[in-house]
Every structure is written in C-alpha cells, then in structure tokens.
C-alpha cells in the first residue's frame, strides 16, 4: 500500500496529471490556481514534458488545440475570468473533436470579481460558453482524492470520446491540503489515426478543422456530435446519494459545498430532522436519474450553491414538479456556513409541517 502524501489541491491535481501521462501544459497564472502552472513548470521537464506560459488565456487554449490535434495528452488550467477568455478556443476544440483536459478553479464574478472561492462557472461547464451546439464533459469533485482520481479518468474519457473534459473546483479545493494517493495510470497505446503526425507513413494528410462551409456538411457534423453526446449521457453519469430513505427534505449540492451540507445534515439529524443529499459528480451529463431515488416521505428540495442558483434549473428539470425546489446561495466569495444551511432547512421544513 502506498503512503498518502499531504498536498495542496492545485499541486495534487498537477501531480495526478503527470502520473496520467500528461506531457504538455499551456496556461497562464491566475489566482486561485497559480500553483498549478508553477508545479508544472518545475516538474514537467523532469519527465520530458513541455511547460509553456502563454501570453494570455486566449493563446494558451489555442496551444492546447494544436497539441491535441497532434495527438498529445495535453491540458490547461485557469480561473473564472481566464476561462471566459478561453470560450472561443474551447468551442473550436469541441467542434474539431479533440481530447484535452481543462481545469477551472472558480472564483467570484462577474468580470474580474474577486479571488475568493465561488461556483459561478456552472453555466460555462454545463451549457458551454462558446458558440454552437457543443458539450463539455464536466466533473465537480468534492475532495482532493476524488479530484486526483478524476484527473486520470478524465484524460481517458477525453480520448475515448474525442472531446474536451472540464473539471471544476473552487478556491477552497485548490488551496486546501489533504492526504492523497496518486498512482501512475496504466496507459495503453491509444490509436489516434486522425492526429496530425506527419505523412511519412504514406497516408493522406489529416485535416483538423471545425469549419464547414457546406450547410449539409455542417448539419451532418452536428448530428454526429449529438449522437456522441447521447453516448456520453448513457455511459458517464456519476453521482452520490446519502440518507434519501425517509428524508423530510433533500439537499442538492456539488463540490466543496456538498461537504458543508453533510456537516449540516449531521447536526439536523441530531435534532431529529431527516435530511438526504444528492451530490452530482458529473454535472454534464447531469444525474437526472438520481432524483428517481428520492423517497415518498420527501416534501422539499433545497439547492445550495456558491452562486445565485445556476444548478437550480437542472434540479427543477430533474424534479418534474414533484417537489417544491428552494434555493440558498452565497455570492462574491462568501461561503455558506453549517449554521446557515441548518437554519434554512428548519425554515423550509417548519413551513411544511
């Protein structure tokens, strides 16, 4: 058994990426994820990899585009304002069907906002901030071990579906320290016959592109993408449920906020209030089926986020009108406390008895 190592979140994710075979990182420092490029700048050259600090996030995502097109295992990371700048490039990458990993350690907004933790980029991760009908496969880990495990898995998923994968965290997840076990990931030779690796093998040149001037050609490409996204939806849904049986109310939360919710649930249980939890791990595809596991005893759902309610629409869709859906959120980098969640649950439960 390998001994666990106490690491900061940003450094742990970078170490996990190297263990998963990532050899190329292009990015730009921005709080609260600046330790990610710093770690890569030090460690990638040791394994024969390449770290390059781009002049901007626009440049870095286009460098990712180029490396992914050449068949490399490549990633970038940023935080919310930088992620906004990457949207055009991400749309190009999705349209060209290229695999890569994108890490977003979210902070408060809009605009430059602040540097404190937030969950303001749920829409970017689940709806796509760029143009066109495309999807990102997106995961929201709640602790460092889950995050490092998802890193290696996400590279494999990106290669399998030829699609960008995004992992969203926040300033808490990036800055906290926890013990992690990072194992080298077994990497089978992945055939990428579409990659631009040269024509020395006497093959026809490969073209990496997302431009289709022919209407029928672009429509056919979009239909192909939708078929792929349907396959992702069938295969890659991930979620956690807790204490749904007999619950008076069910909390819906992801990432670090779900950990605060679990502490609130324990306090409420001590006071005789039964509270369940649905925690999406994949936020796209969204785990709508998790809501079918809710008990008949449940009278209300409460969404808790560090934003103004960006997951609220997905929960309402998942609920099919079976329960009232409430929301409690903090913005601007403020973090909901255990006491705040406990009080909100009591207000809702008290109002329905």
């Amino acid at each position: 058994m390998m001994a666990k190592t106490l690491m900061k979140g940003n450094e742990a994710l970078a170490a996990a990426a190297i263990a998963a075979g990532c050899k190329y990182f292009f990015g730009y420092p921005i709080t609260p994820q600046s330790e990610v490029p710093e770690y890569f700048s030090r460690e990638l050259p040791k394994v024969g990899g390449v770290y390059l600090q781009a002049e901007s996030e626009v440049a870095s995502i286009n460098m990712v585009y180029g490396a992914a097109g050449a068949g490399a295992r490549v990633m970038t990371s940023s935080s919310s304002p930088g992620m906004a700048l990457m949207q055009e490039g991400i749309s190009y990458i999705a349209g060209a069907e290229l695999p890569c990993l994108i890490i977003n350690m979210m902070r408060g907004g809009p605009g430059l906002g602040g540097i404190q933790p937030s969950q303001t980029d749920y829409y970017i991760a689940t709806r796509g901030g760029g143009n066109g009908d495309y999807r990102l496969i997106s995961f929201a880990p709640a602790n460092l071990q889950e995050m490092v495990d998802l890193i290696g898995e996400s590279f494999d998923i990106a290669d399998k579906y030829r699609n960008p994968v995004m992992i969203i965290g926040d300033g808490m997840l990036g800055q906290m320290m926890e013990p992690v076990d990072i194992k080298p990931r077994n990497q089978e030779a992945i055939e990428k016959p579409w990659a631009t690796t040269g024509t020395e093998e006497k093959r026809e040149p490969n073209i990496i592109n997302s431009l289709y001037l022919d209407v029928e050609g672009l429509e056919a490409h979009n239909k192909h993408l939708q078929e792929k996204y349907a396959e992702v939806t069938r295969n890659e849904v991930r979620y956690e449920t807790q204490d749904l049986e007999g619950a008076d109310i069910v909390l819906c939360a992801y990432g670090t906020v779900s950990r605060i919710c679990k502490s609130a649930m324990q306090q409420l249980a001590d006071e005789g209030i039964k509270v369940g939890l649905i925690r999406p791990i994949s936020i796209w595809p969204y785990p709508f089926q998790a809501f079918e596991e809710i008990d008949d005893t449940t009278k209300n759902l409460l969404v808790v986020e560090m934003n103004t309610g960006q997951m609220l629409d997905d929960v309402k869709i998942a609920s099919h009108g079976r329960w009232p859906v409430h929301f409690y959120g903090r913005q601007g980098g403020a973090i909901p406390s255990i006491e705040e969640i406990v009080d909100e649950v009591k207000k809702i439960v008290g109002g329905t008895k």
Side-chain angles (χ1 to χ4, degrees), residues 201-221:
E201 301 171 359
K202 308 300 182 183
R203 62 165 173 78
E204 292 297 315
N206 286 334
I207 298 175
I208 301 294
N209 192 19
S210 64
L211 176 65
Y212 293 80
L213 295 180
D214 176 70
V215 173
E216 286 75 17
L218 180 54
E219 184 176 46
H221 180 61

Side-chain angles (χ1 to χ4, degrees), residues 63-77:
M63 292 174 183
V64 169
Y65 186 164
R73 180 157 276 196
V74 59
M75 67 171 284
T76 187
S77 66

